[in-house]
Amino acid sequence: MMTEREAGIERLYPSLFGRMAARYYYLRKLRAQIEEVVQLFLAKSPQKLTLADYGCGNKPYEPIVAPFVAQYLGIDLELNPIADIHIAPTGAIQLDAEKLDVVLSTQVLEHVVDPKQYLQEAHRVLKNDGLLILSTHGYWMFHPDPTDFWRWTSTGLRKVVEDEGFEVVYFKGIIGRAAMGLQLFQDGLLFKLPKFLRPILAIIMQPQIIFFDKITAQDTIDKDACTYVLVAKKR
């Protein structure tokens, strides 16, 4: 649940010897990829951008995004007290059409009941030529928060986004098949161990995950990855 998630700073800067050790490499790669997107698409914008974090949770990426936008808003369910804009029970965002320059969606799409409606709402609230910055899983363990429904191939994710009126202008994978296989192996053992032993397993496994990821070509990872990060423009 959103009240039980790791603090944003732990997600952004995990330690190999801390609570997020088992996600050390993954979280660092995800942050780096979002930072790259911010630099490419937000940092040099001549406009004063209004951005909404769609499914914001505890807004973990606000520190790296907010400095480059004029307004950073959170969109989430009514039970989230830090959300600025709420999602109605019908799934509709309580916001007029064409109000936003950017919609940010990090690790949310796999959790929503109806991805089609979710993307349609993102499209509706974006201005013409507005940007959707989205990350979601290719491979990952089952992790309900409070639900967990979907995984995508690279071509499947492109299709569902493009089908709802977007043009994908940037697409990159993080953590390729071999490295992700080790991550899943680690996770398969992790929760069978007492809590005090889990950091030890992470210290053993994370360097191997890093090694196998580093020797995999990026174009291969873009086709078959743990997570995909994309930027799409509203057509």
Side-chain angles (χ1 to χ4, degrees):
M1 297 294 292
M2 61 189 67
T3 55
E4 299 168 346
R5 290 175 184 165
E6 71 280 356
I9 196 68
E10 289 182 293
R11 187 172 185 86
L12 288 179
Y13 303 104
S15 168
L16 190 52
F17 304 98
R19 190 165 71 98
M20 303 302 295
R23 300 286 178 266
Y24 170 78
Y25 184 61
Y26 168 70
L27 290 175
R28 288 171 64 90
K29 288 286 288 185
L30 182 56
R31 185 194 77 231
Q33 204 61 62
I34 292 171
E35 287 174 333
E36 178 177 299
V37 166
V38 167
Q39 289 301 316
L40 289 172
F41 293 93
L42 303 185
K44 299 175 184 178
S45 174
Q47 303 175 28
K48 292 184 176 180
L49 301 173
T50 298
L51 177 146
D53 188 342
Y54 187 10
C56 63
N58 57 12
K59 302 181 181 177
Y61 294 100
E62 185 175 12
I64 64 174
V65 176
F68 301 100
V69 299
Q71 190 174 20
Y72 186 107
L73 303 168
I75 300 174
D76 214 333
L77 302 173
E78 290 190 357
L79 56 85
N80 185 349
I82 69 170
D84 304 289
I85 301 166
H86 290 118
I87 302 168
T90 60
I93 298 171
Q94 296 176 6
L95 186 67
D96 291 339
E98 300 184 5
K99 289 294 185 182
L100 303 174
D101 299 294
V102 185
V103 168
L104 174 69
S105 172
T106 58
Q107 310 310 106
V108 177
L109 194 63
E110 68 269 20
H111 297 289
V112 301
V113 175
D114 188 345
K116 182 181 178 72
Q117 182 189 33
Y118 178 90
L119 292 168
Q120 287 173 345
E121 279 296 284
H123 189 276
R124 182 183 67 81
V125 297
L126 278 169
K127 298 174 183 176
N128 289 334
D129 293 329
L131 296 178
L132 169 67
I133 300 171
L134 182 145
S135 67
T136 191
H137 286 305
Y139 302 106
W140 198 252
M141 62 177 284
F142 180 64
H143 61 298
D145 186 19
T147 57
D148 184 20
F149 292 110
W150 315 105
R151 299 294 182 272
W152 281 272
T153 63
S154 56
T155 52
L157 181 59
R158 282 178 179 271
K159 184 178 188 306
V160 297
V161 171
E162 291 171 347
D163 283 352
E164 302 314 322
F166 290 97
E167 175 191 358
V168 175
V169 296
Y170 173 101
F171 193 97
K172 192 166 283 189
I174 62 169
I175 308 187
R177 187 192 306 163
M180 192 55 207
L182 289 171
Q183 179 75 43
L184 291 171
F185 176 75
Q186 171 203 266
D187 291 351
L189 297 177
L190 191 71
F191 300 103
K192 299 180 185 297
L193 296 176
K195 286 188 176 181
F196 74 92
L197 289 177
R198 293 175 188 177
I200 297 172
L201 177 63
I203 290 169
I204 293 169
M205 294 299 301
Q206 289 296 302
Q208 297 179 66
I209 292 167
I210 294 170
F211 171 77
F212 279 98
D213 195 52
K214 296 291 188 185
I215 64 171
T216 306
Q218 184 61 50
D219 62 344
T220 299
I221 297 173
D222 291 344
K223 296 185 183 94
D224 197 16
C226 151
T227 293
Y228 302 105
V229 179
L230 67 81
V231 180
K233 183 181 291 187
K234 176 177 175 175
R235 291 200 296 263

